[in-house]
Amino acid sequence: MAENKRDYYEVLGLQKGASDDEIKKAFRKMAMKYHPDKNPGDKKAEEQFKQVNEAYSVLSDPEKKSKYDRFGHAGVDPNAGFGGAGGGFGGFGAGGFEDIFDMFGGMFGGGGSRQRRRNGPIKGNDLQKAMTITFEEAAFGTKKEIQINKYVECETCSGTGAQPGTSKKTCGKCGGTGEVHTTQRTPFGTFQSSSPCPDCGGTGQINEHPCGDCGGTGKVRKSVTISVDIPAGVDNDSVISIKGQGEPGSNGGPNGDLYVVLTVRPHKLFERKGQDLWLEIPITFDQAALGDDITVPTLEGKVSYKVPAGTQPNTVFRLKGKGVKSVRSSRKGDLYVRVILEVPTKLSGKQKKAIQNMAKEVKNDCYKRKSGFLDSMKEFFS
């Protein structure tokens, strides 16, 4: 039932009255979030994905959006039953509110302005494709190729839908307008309404000799290879827009766009946080106590770093400019190195003795934190 449906604006995370650009942007974001490829086996995400597509199919269509804004879900539900006795407007037939508004629009000079001409330019469908890249490819940028199955313009008829050497004819019933007008007499007066032409389906043209390769649609499905430029600094869920690489439009409308959604494989050493990188390096007790030069890996090669004497476990050092470049500028993030103190295991008897001798020589007052803890404990139990 329509009353149980979620508000379409709410589904896309928008306020009523959102612009076309806001609706399109919100749809891309939500579609990527709940796409089945990113949520395999997740029934809840699958249901959310369906709701997102349903909401977008209405709010992206000016005519449907107008009806939805006026009447809610019932305005776009073909089974809502506006007409007939149940709707309180008996005698107007199955056309419901739209016919009523068309007739009264004629009274006030609006005529059939709410009817969208089907023979006008229509933009082609946008497409979405997932792509997985390596950590290094995301950091430095790369060029990749993807294969995608999509509708393309029929080469045989050049997208006209008519056999080569022929052309479509202007519809004789509607004169090429794509609309037919009817006049109705009512107790309120005479009203005129418009509807799509039944002979040409609202296109304004008749195709007497349809192309054999595309069946008159002007489009054929084909596997296409597309080159994708991936800029340095992209991350998980980054979206690359390739204008005009969607499906072909109709009636002279532009092609749709292709949106490539990126997934970045994790790295064995580095963890990424925005433009910064994090790395953990194990060091020994003697390196921490006496200091040492250690080798630090970066995305651009190895560098040497001096660990100062007395370095404590989990100390973090910062290597400026050794992170990932920003997509929007030349600025680079930093590399943060956390040193982890590794305690030796599987010691021989000689090694154990050496550690015991060291422990006798290195007294508690050499350990700042331990010494302070022992003093606090004495005070607590005194």
Side-chain angles (χ1 to χ4, degrees):
M1 297 292 289
E3 59 265 24
N4 294 327
K5 284 180 176 286
R6 288 176 62 197
D7 178 76
Y8 286 148
Y9 289 101
E10 178 190 335
V11 170
L12 296 179
L14 298 169
Q15 296 291 327
K16 187 174 180 180
S19 68
D20 291 344
D21 285 343
E22 289 173 331
I23 291 169
K24 194 171 186 179
K25 186 177 180 181
F27 167 69
R28 292 175 194 157
K29 179 181 177 182
M30 302 298 280
M32 284 186 287
K33 180 177 180 181
Y34 296 114
H35 198 283
D37 289 347
K38 296 189 68 178
N39 303 275
D42 189 335
K43 294 296 183 184
K44 188 173 181 181
E46 184 180 339
E47 180 58 32
Q48 290 275 18
F49 186 70
K50 290 179 182 177
Q51 291 183 21
V52 167
N53 278 284
E54 180 182 333
Y56 183 68
S57 70
V58 171
L59 298 183
S60 63
D61 184 308
E63 186 176 355
K64 291 180 181 178
K65 182 175 181 289
S66 176
K67 292 180 181 178
Y68 181 75
D69 287 345
R70 292 201 300 269
F71 312 118
H73 290 291
V76 291
D77 184 355
N79 301 315
F82 277 126
F89 291 92
F92 284 100
F97 273 139
E98 194 63 21
D99 286 346
I100 296 169
F101 275 103
D102 280 340
M103 287 192 293
F104 277 93
M107 178 187 292
F108 296 110
S113 61
R114 291 178 179 82
Q115 291 286 352
R116 186 174 62 174
R117 287 172 58 104
R118 297 189 182 184
N119 57 351
I122 301 173
K123 183 183 177 182
N125 292 327
D126 292 337
L127 299 176
Q128 181 176 310
K129 178 73 173 178
M131 176 188 287
T132 300
I133 59 176
T134 66
F135 197 91
E136 288 82 0
E137 286 172 336
F140 297 114
T142 187
K143 195 166 195 170
K144 307 281 276 187
E145 288 189 342
I146 57 172
Q147 292 265 180
I148 187 168
N149 290 317
K150 65 171 186 173
Y151 282 102
V152 298
E153 185 179 275
C154 176
E155 295 180 357
T156 303
C157 65
S158 300
T160 64
Q163 286 182 9
T166 69
S167 60
K168 297 179 181 179
K169 294 183 178 180
T170 301
C171 176
K173 188 174 185 68
C174 65
T177 65
E179 295 179 344
V180 291
H181 305 282
T182 57
T183 301
Q184 292 177 278
R185 298 183 181 278
T186 76
F188 301 102
T190 301
F191 302 100
Q192 189 180 66
S193 62
S194 301
S195 61
C197 174
D199 286 10
C200 65
T203 64
Q205 294 182 311
I206 301 293
N207 190 1
E208 295 181 337
H209 305 284
C211 172
D213 287 349
C214 65
T217 64
K219 306 170 188 177
V220 292
R221 198 161 184 83
K222 186 178 179 182
S223 179
V224 179
T225 301
I226 298 172
S227 180
V228 183
D229 286 317
I230 299 174
V234 294
D235 203 351
N236 266 317
D237 296 328
S238 291
V239 180
I240 297 175
S241 171
I242 308 178
K243 193 171 181 63
Q245 285 292 356
E247 294 185 334
S250 301
N251 304 325
N255 288 359
D257 302 326
L258 172 62
Y259 297 94
V260 180
V261 185
L262 300 178
T263 297
V264 181
R265 292 194 190 101
H267 199 275
K268 291 182 178 179
L269 294 177
F270 302 106
E271 179 185 358
R272 181 171 174 177
K273 296 180 180 179
Q275 306 310 124
D276 297 327
L277 297 177
W278 284 75
L279 171 68
E280 290 186 350
I281 295 183
I283 61 173
T284 62
F285 173 81
D286 57 294
Q287 287 178 310
L290 305 177
D292 196 11
D293 287 318
I294 63 172
T295 299
V296 178
T298 75
L299 286 176
E300 297 170 327
K302 300 175 183 177
V303 297
S304 180
Y305 185 83
K306 176 70 176 179
V307 175
T311 294
Q312 299 300 306
N314 297 317
T315 297
V316 176
F317 301 109
R318 174 189 176 200
L319 278 66
K320 191 173 181 181
K322 294 298 182 182
V324 178
K325 176 185 174 297
S326 170
V327 175
R328 297 177 180 82
S329 70
S330 59
R331 180 192 171 277
K332 294 183 70 174
D334 302 323
L335 171 61
Y336 291 89
V337 181
R338 178 182 283 111
V339 292
I340 308 297
L341 183 62
E342 185 171 14
V343 178
T345 59
K346 298 180 180 179
L347 296 170
S348 68
K350 185 178 179 180
Q351 291 167 332
K352 290 179 182 178
K353 189 66 175 176
I355 292 177
Q356 289 168 352
N357 290 336
M358 184 200 72
K360 291 177 183 178
E361 294 295 328
V362 182
K363 304 300 182 182
N364 285 338
D365 56 4
C366 294
Y367 296 96
K368 184 176 180 181
R369 290 185 182 178
K370 184 177 181 181
S371 178
F373 174 77
L374 291 175
D375 290 343
S376 298
M377 191 167 65
K378 286 179 182 178
E379 184 179 339
F380 179 75
F381 286 106
S382 62

